[in-house]
């Protein structure tokens, strides 16, 4: 199911940008020019909305994942110094749980990932190719992209609007360029794919370019096998003959519907570099969704400093790192289990929840004036982590117990009576459900 979903999205993105000149704006240049970006800065925000009925999701683990990802957001800023050196800084925001800070740095030698201010980042060695290999890949991309792009079909005119010679604000600066609005529905993808294959089969020059590029790659890898233009044409025709079966396949057919679509607003600068986008991917028909009936992904992006000097932000050196083979337990040990949102999230997926606290285990003393208020817990075990939340869900205090009792202090719970919420995390368990604890007003 996931592979078919990705196929639909990728096909839609491809066709949505594959247009000839419209109102004097050659949109194919956007695809070709974006492949020439060597450095840039960007800001991306993404949000995910899931549609599902909890009563219809039979798999409890799948329901945990749906509950976790629904209304999740991602906010990151990326600095691409060059094709090998990139940094990313931002937050994953989980609904009702909080923010998970994310940092990443990658160069030719390594990738370093720091999640939720862990005491040890994860370091993964990177096997980068030689300069000659990288140049070969770049040359191959250039050779393949042009013949493919010029044969992409125009999206349906009713779903395409181009506004030439206009302006927009990118990263706080006014930029001259062109605006494009386009939509592709799932029901239109088979026709667009068929048109693309027909266009390509008639373009002998494009086929020759593609065949030569493929043969060059084979030769560089020590393979003397060569395909001919005629072989390639036969392959196109065979794929075209498969399309009717693909369209009538029940599992694929459910994706080729108007309930599934991708819509994008794109702003290009005068050099046809993509500077600003707002994209919505809507999946309203999901076969075998196991209770999941809809997915909406919204993505907004801005790009600036294109092909200018950009310095990726390195992550400071640590004395110790985790490697890519670290176990979940080893990674969890690097997180602050009192405050880490990621710790709470991961343990909720891999462990059973802790048994909830009894109200009799908690006593609240709402002190008068500037004296800090106290929350006393009893009947604990050494290593238990206890947390106190406000009525609004804000974490007020957290502590790891060193014995059977523990006292947490809060500067001010409130002069009037009210409620707090408490939870506990026990070893090899996730955080318990929160229990409401009433407290009295301050004494007059």
């Amino acid at each position: 199911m996931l592979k078919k979903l990705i196929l639909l999205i990728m096909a839609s993105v491809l066709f949505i940008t594959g247009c000839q000149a419209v109102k004097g704006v050659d949109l194919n240049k956007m695809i070709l020019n974006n492949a020439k970006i060597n450095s840039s800065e960007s800001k991306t925000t993404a949000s995910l909305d899931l549609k599902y009925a909890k009563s219809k999701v039979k798999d409890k683990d799948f329901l945990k994942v749906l509950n976790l990802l629904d209304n999740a957001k991602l906010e990151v800023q990326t600095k691409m110094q060059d094709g090998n050196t990139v940094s990313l800084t931002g937050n994953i925001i989980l609904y009702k749980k909080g923010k998970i800070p994310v940092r990443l740095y990658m160069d030719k030698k390594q990738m370093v990932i720091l999640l939720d201010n862990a005491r040890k980042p994860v370091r993964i060695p990177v096997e980068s190719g030689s300069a000659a290999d990288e140049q070969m890949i770049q040359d191959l991309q250039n050779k393949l992209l042009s013949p493919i792009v010029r044969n992409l079909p125009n999206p349906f005119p009713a779903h395409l609007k181009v506004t030439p010679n206009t302006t927009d604000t990118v990263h706080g600066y006014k930029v001259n360029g062109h605006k494009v609005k386009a939509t592709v529905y799932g029901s239109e993808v088979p026709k667009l794919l068929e048109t693309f294959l027909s266009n390509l089969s008639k373009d002998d020059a494009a086929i020759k370019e593609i065949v030569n590029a493929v043969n060059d790659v084979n030769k560089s890898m020590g393979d003397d096998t060569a395909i001919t233009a005629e072989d390639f044409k036969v392959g196109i025709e065979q794929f075209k003959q498969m399309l009717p079966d693909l369209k009538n396949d029940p599992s694929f057919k459910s994706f080729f519907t108007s309930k599934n679509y991708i819509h994008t607003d794109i702003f290009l600068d005068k050099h046809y570099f993509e500077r600003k986008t707002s994209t919505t991917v809507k999946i309203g028909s999901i076969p075998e969704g196991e209770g999941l009936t809809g997915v909406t992904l919204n993505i907004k992006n801005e790009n600036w400093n294109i092909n200018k000097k950009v310095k990726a932000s390195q992550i400071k050196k640590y004395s110790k790192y985790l490697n890519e083979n670290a176990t979940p337990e080893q990674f969890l040990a690097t997180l602050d289990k009192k405050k880490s949102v990621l710790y709470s999230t991961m343990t909720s997926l891999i462990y059973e929840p802790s048994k909830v606290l009894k109200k009799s285990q908690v006593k609240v003393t709402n002190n008068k004036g500037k004296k800090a208020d106290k929350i006393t817990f009893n009947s604990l075990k050494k290593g238990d982590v206890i947390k106190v939340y406000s009525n609004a869900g804000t974490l007020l205090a957290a502590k790891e117990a060193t014995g059977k009792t523990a006292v947490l202090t809060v500067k001010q719970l409130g002069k009037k009576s009210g409620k707090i919420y408490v939870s506990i995390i026990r070893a090899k368990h996730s955080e318990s459900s929160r229990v409401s604890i009433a407290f009295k007003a301050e004494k007059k």
Side-chain angles (χ1 to χ4, degrees):
M1 188 265 286
L2 181 59
K3 290 182 179 178
K4 296 170 185 174
L5 181 61
I6 293 173
L7 174 64
L8 173 65
I9 294 172
M10 289 181 65
S12 298
V13 171
L14 188 67
F15 294 132
I16 213 167
T17 54
C19 313
Q20 302 302 318
V22 180
K23 293 186 179 181
V25 179
D26 187 353
L27 300 181
N28 284 345
K29 284 185 179 179
M30 176 184 68
I31 304 174
L32 297 174
N33 281 8
N34 281 345
K36 300 175 183 177
I37 296 177
N38 299 311
S39 63
S40 67
E41 291 188 62
S42 64
K43 180 181 179 181
T44 304
T45 60
S47 61
L48 186 65
D49 179 49
L50 305 177
K51 298 296 181 186
Y52 60 99
K54 292 183 179 181
S55 60
K56 295 183 179 180
V57 181
K58 305 303 181 184
D59 188 322
K60 292 182 179 180
D61 291 333
F62 185 47
L63 181 59
K64 283 183 180 180
V65 174
L66 293 178
N67 289 337
L68 178 66
L69 296 181
D70 190 24
N71 293 308
K73 294 181 180 180
L74 174 69
E75 299 175 345
V76 294
Q77 183 166 329
T78 304
K79 295 180 180 180
M80 183 171 72
Q81 184 173 319
D82 54 47
N84 297 298
T85 311
V86 180
S87 67
L88 180 150
T89 305
N91 296 288
I92 299 170
I93 305 169
L94 301 178
Y95 182 62
K96 290 186 178 180
K97 283 186 174 291
K99 292 183 179 181
I100 300 174
V102 177
R103 291 196 65 194
L104 177 148
Y105 174 80
M106 183 177 71
D107 57 25
K108 287 185 177 182
K109 297 180 179 180
Q110 64 180 354
M111 178 189 295
V112 179
I113 306 170
L114 181 63
L115 297 173
D116 213 349
N117 302 310
R119 291 189 294 274
K120 296 179 184 178
V122 178
R123 182 166 59 186
I124 304 171
V126 173
E127 295 182 6
S128 62
S130 65
D133 291 337
E134 292 172 9
Q135 186 60 49
M136 183 191 73
I137 294 172
Q138 182 66 46
D139 291 343
L140 176 64
Q141 176 180 280
N142 294 335
K143 289 177 181 177
L144 289 176
L145 200 53
S146 180
I148 290 174
V149 165
R150 67 173 180 256
N151 284 288
L152 289 174
N154 290 325
F156 298 93
H159 312 324
L160 178 66
K161 181 181 179 182
V162 176
T163 305
N165 303 317
T166 185
T167 61
D168 206 336
T169 302
V170 180
H171 194 55
Y173 292 92
K174 191 175 181 180
V175 179
N176 297 320
H178 318 289
K179 289 184 179 180
V180 181
K181 291 180 181 288
T183 304
V184 169
Y185 292 92
S187 55
E188 299 166 342
V189 169
K191 179 64 177 177
L192 289 169
L193 183 57
E194 183 180 354
T195 302
F196 167 65
L197 294 173
S198 295
N199 291 348
L200 187 59
S201 66
K202 297 173 185 177
D203 191 337
D204 290 336
I207 291 175
K208 185 177 180 180
E209 291 175 57
I210 294 172
V211 166
N212 288 341
V214 172
N215 288 335
D216 286 345
V217 171
N218 288 342
K219 188 175 180 179
S220 69
M221 298 177 69
D223 185 353
D224 292 330
T225 304
I227 64 171
T228 66
E230 191 59 36
D231 293 333
F232 194 80
K233 281 188 176 182
V234 170
I236 293 175
E237 290 304 317
Q238 289 176 341
F239 193 78
K240 284 175 65 177
Q241 292 173 14
M242 292 169 55
L243 283 178
D245 292 335
L246 185 67
K247 289 189 290 185
N248 294 321
D249 184 311
S251 57
F252 270 101
K253 191 175 182 179
S254 59
F255 282 113
F256 297 141
T257 169
S258 58
K259 290 182 179 179
N260 302 329
Y261 64 85
I262 179 171
H263 172 81
T264 188
D265 293 349
I266 306 172
F267 177 70
L268 312 173
D269 65 18
K270 61 183 180 180
H271 302 295
Y272 286 87
F273 287 123
E274 185 180 302
R275 301 296 299 276
K276 198 172 185 178
T277 60
S278 178
T279 302
T280 298
V281 179
K282 175 79 172 184
I283 307 298
S285 175
I286 304 178
E288 303 171 10
E290 301 178 4
L292 177 65
T293 58
V295 177
T296 302
L297 177 64
N298 292 298
I299 305 172
K300 293 185 178 182
N301 188 71
E302 290 189 18
N303 301 305
W304 63 94
N305 284 341
I306 294 176
N307 289 338
K308 295 182 179 179
K309 187 175 182 180
V310 174
K311 182 71 174 176
S313 301
Q314 295 191 29
I315 296 174
K316 72 175 185 177
K317 292 184 178 180
Y318 284 73
S319 58
K320 294 182 180 179
Y321 294 82
L322 293 178
N323 61 42
E324 68 271 28
N325 297 317
T327 65
E329 288 76 15
Q330 288 173 323
F331 177 70
L332 285 170
T334 70
L335 300 173
D336 181 352
K337 58 185 177 181
K338 298 188 294 295
K339 298 180 180 179
S340 170
V341 174
L342 183 56
Y343 182 92
S344 176
T345 300
M346 287 183 64
T347 53
S348 71
L349 295 175
I350 62 179
Y351 294 140
E352 290 296 319
S354 303
K355 188 176 180 180
V356 296
L357 287 163
K358 296 178 181 179
K359 294 191 176 186
S360 59
Q361 288 179 259
V362 187
K363 179 183 178 182
V364 181
T365 305
N366 191 6
N367 290 312
K368 184 179 179 180
K370 295 183 179 180
K371 189 176 181 181
D373 301 324
K374 294 195 304 182
I375 304 97
T376 304
F377 293 79
N378 59 64
S379 301
L380 301 175
K381 295 180 181 179
K382 184 180 179 180
D384 286 349
V385 173
I386 45 178
K387 296 186 176 185
V388 178
Y389 296 89
S390 71
N391 193 42
T394 302
L395 180 65
L396 299 177
K399 190 173 186 178
E400 184 172 347
T402 56
K404 293 183 178 181
T405 62
V407 178
L408 278 71
T409 59
V410 176
K411 188 175 181 180
Q412 177 62 273
L413 291 176
K415 294 183 179 180
K416 298 181 179 179
S417 60
K419 288 183 179 180
I420 55 170
Y421 292 79
V422 297
S423 67
I424 185 171
I425 304 174
R426 290 216 141 128
K428 297 293 183 180
H429 288 77
S430 62
E431 186 173 356
S432 72
S433 299
R434 299 172 189 177
V435 177
S436 66
I437 304 294
F439 61 86
K440 297 179 179 179
E442 292 181 357
K443 293 181 178 180
K444 295 182 180 180

